[in-house]
Amino acid sequence: MKTCYWKLQGNSEDAEIFRKAGELIRQGEVVAFPTETVYGLGANGLNPEAVAKIFAAKGRPQDNPLIMHIARKEDIAQLTTGLNANAEKIMEHFMPGPLTMIVPKAPIVPDVTSAGLDTVGVRFPGNKYAQEFIRACGCPIAAPSANISGRPSPTNAQDVLEDMDGKIAAIIDGGACGVGLESTVVDTTSPIPTICRPGGVTYEMLTEALGAMEIDPALMGDKNFKPKAPGMKYRHYAPKEPVYLLEGEAVALLPELVAKAVAQGIKIGVLCSSAMAAQLPQSPQVLLSCWGDSREQLAGDLFYLLRDFDRTKPEVILAQGVSEDGIGLAIMNRLRKAAGYQIITLEKGTLILKNGKQLPGFMIE
Ligand code: TXA
Ligand code: MG
């Protein structure tokens, strides 16, 4: 299949792009589009054959439900059997925005979209291009992130092209996504609303608006809990190389560990702040992926920086952890998953790998 690539210009010519994209969607095709979180892989969420094409293009497991995207608040009514008081409050405070709400599913939503669950995720993106696209389609748009399953989500159209060229009908290029991490997923059907995936709408923001909030305990990588969001059980966001995440006081030892790797002739990838980068040994063996000063910048660049390692090809990657308040919870969730929960901490002056396994060889010698 030839994939059309359409670049939005922010002028009147964009209308024609949205018209053509809407036509493709009504014909049952898949079109990638920008949102404020990550790029989405959209199809008519009410058409099972169209939705099946999304699963095929991504290589996505069938048990992982898709989010339905709308561009007017009233469009949620046809997708659900009803909203409770918490769901109503979330709509009022956070839609449109980087949030997905899990609600009871109406029969119109096909099983392939909801992976057979009796609930459905609904999101009203804040990005104006996403809204124009959805309105041009005239139906709810089922859309996962536009990556091949297991890879970091794309936050620019070039990364979508890298994963989806030849597999989908079209890509709409609307520039870089702002938030850079996927939407916060909140289950409104539990007695206390529960964060199943942290994102741009933070725990603190939700607590302020709703009062009590829970965080799905499975998000911390504890194998005794089954994640509420089926997608959270897969290793994800992962570069091809092994990643180790330094947390807490272990972060201060990053320069020392990098020096050890360099001394042993290892090509080492480092994901860190620019302030940390200035403290690292300079060597062609050190392959840096740096973020600027703020954690918001890190969120915006994280997936691009992770994908960059597939281009620079280090043997092993060390990532610098950040504090977990605000957007930090979402960043650390993605970093822990990228690291496959290989987390290094400092305990009583000794570095340890939290999953009980041996530290990588170069750290021990
Ligand atoms: O920011 C986003 O949410 C992006 C953009 C494109 O909107 N979409 C996205 O979709 O990240 P996806 O499919 O990559 O992730 C959806 C997550 C998965 O972890 C899935 O298991 C969970 O939401 N999810 C969807 N419907 C659910 C449901 N009914 N119950 C529990 N979890 C659900
Ligand atoms: Mg995804």
Side-chain angles (χ1 to χ4, degrees):
M1 169 182 291
K2 188 185 167 325
T3 302
C4 301
Y5 188 99
W6 296 319
K7 187 159 176 47
L8 297 171
Q9 308 290 344
N11 60 27
S12 58
E13 287 169 35
D14 292 352
E16 177 59 12
I17 293 176
F18 290 119
R19 194 195 58 75
K20 286 190 290 192
E23 208 169 275
L24 284 173
I25 291 290
R26 285 188 297 279
Q27 288 163 6
E29 295 301 330
V30 176
V31 176
F33 64 101
T35 84
E36 75 273 40
T37 58
V38 301
Y39 273 73
L41 206 54
N44 178 351
L46 302 178
N47 174 346
E49 286 86 45
V51 171
K53 290 183 187 170
I54 296 179
F55 282 87
K58 267 184 81 87
R60 182 177 175 107
Q62 297 286 341
D63 69 346
N64 195 2
L66 302 180
I67 296 169
M68 286 289 222
H69 295 68
I70 56 173
R72 290 179 313 181
K73 281 189 182 177
E74 57 268 33
D75 287 346
I76 198 170
Q78 61 170 321
L79 302 175
T80 181
T81 52
L83 303 177
N84 61 22
N86 283 323
E88 295 281 2
K89 267 193 221 160
I90 288 177
M91 280 256 278
E92 181 191 328
H93 284 89
F94 302 111
M95 289 196 185
L99 173 135
T100 295
M101 179 163 93
I102 308 293
V103 296
K105 178 183 96 80
I108 191 180
V109 179
D111 275 347
V112 56
T113 303
S114 66
L117 299 176
D118 54 10
T119 55
V120 61
V122 182
R123 164 154 144 73
F124 180 174
N127 179 297
K128 70 172 190 326
Y129 291 145
Q131 294 177 1
E132 275 184 67
F133 166 68
I134 297 164
R135 287 194 199 107
C137 298
C139 58
I141 296 296
S145 49
N147 50 290
I148 293 172
S149 238
R151 297 207 72 205
S153 300
T155 48
N156 62 72
Q158 278 308 310
D159 286 346
V160 178
L161 191 64
E162 190 181 297
D163 281 13
M164 292 297 152
D165 196 14
K167 297 182 188 165
I168 60 174
I171 298 172
I172 302 176
D173 179 352
C177 303
V179 180
L181 302 177
E182 305 88 345
S183 62
T184 308
V185 176
V186 180
D187 184 1
T188 66
T189 66
S190 46
I192 299 175
T194 306
I195 296 180
C196 307
R197 179 175 73 181
V201 174
T202 63
Y203 171 78
E204 290 85 346
M205 290 157 76
L206 283 159
T207 315
E208 196 183 319
L210 301 180
M213 284 297 298
E214 272 177 5
I215 300 178
D216 184 354
L219 294 185
M220 304 317 283
D222 189 330
K223 299 255 173 347
N224 296 318
F225 294 97
K226 183 168 171 278
K228 294 188 87 171
M232 297 306 277
K233 71 174 177 277
Y234 299 105
R235 183 171 183 230
H236 218 151
Y237 316 116
K240 296 179 182 117
E241 308 75 17
V243 181
Y244 294 91
L245 174 62
L246 302 176
E247 294 194 7
E249 289 172 26
V251 168
L253 296 184
L254 193 54
E256 200 179 302
L257 294 176
V258 173
K260 273 191 180 176
V262 170
Q264 290 170 57
I266 293 170
K267 268 175 80 181
I268 183 142
V270 187
L271 177 67
C272 66
S273 66
S274 41
M276 175 63 82
Q279 299 176 43
L280 299 181
Q282 291 194 2
S283 155
Q285 279 164 246
V286 179
L287 304 165
L288 283 175
S289 275
C290 280
W291 72 84
D293 298 327
S294 71
R295 288 181 309 162
E296 280 66 27
Q297 270 175 313
L298 169 55
D301 292 344
L302 179 60
F303 290 144
Y304 176 78
L305 293 173
L306 286 174
R307 275 174 179 260
D308 224 24
F309 288 123
D310 290 339
R311 296 179 263 258
T312 57
K313 299 196 171 28
E315 291 163 55
V316 57
I317 297 164
L318 297 181
Q320 173 186 354
V322 298
S323 62
E324 273 185 280
D325 55 311
I327 190 73
L329 184 68
I331 293 171
M332 288 303 278
N333 167 258
R334 305 311 193 273
L335 279 175
R336 286 177 183 138
K337 293 190 71 161
Y341 296 97
Q342 303 199 103
I343 297 166
I344 294 176
T345 58
L346 190 65
E347 274 167 40
K348 301 197 184 94
T350 311
L351 283 179
I352 64 153
L353 190 54
K354 260 182 137 179
N355 60 10
K357 294 204 186 119
Q358 276 260 309
L359 289 171
F362 75 89
M363 292 190 188
I364 301 165
E365 275 153 45

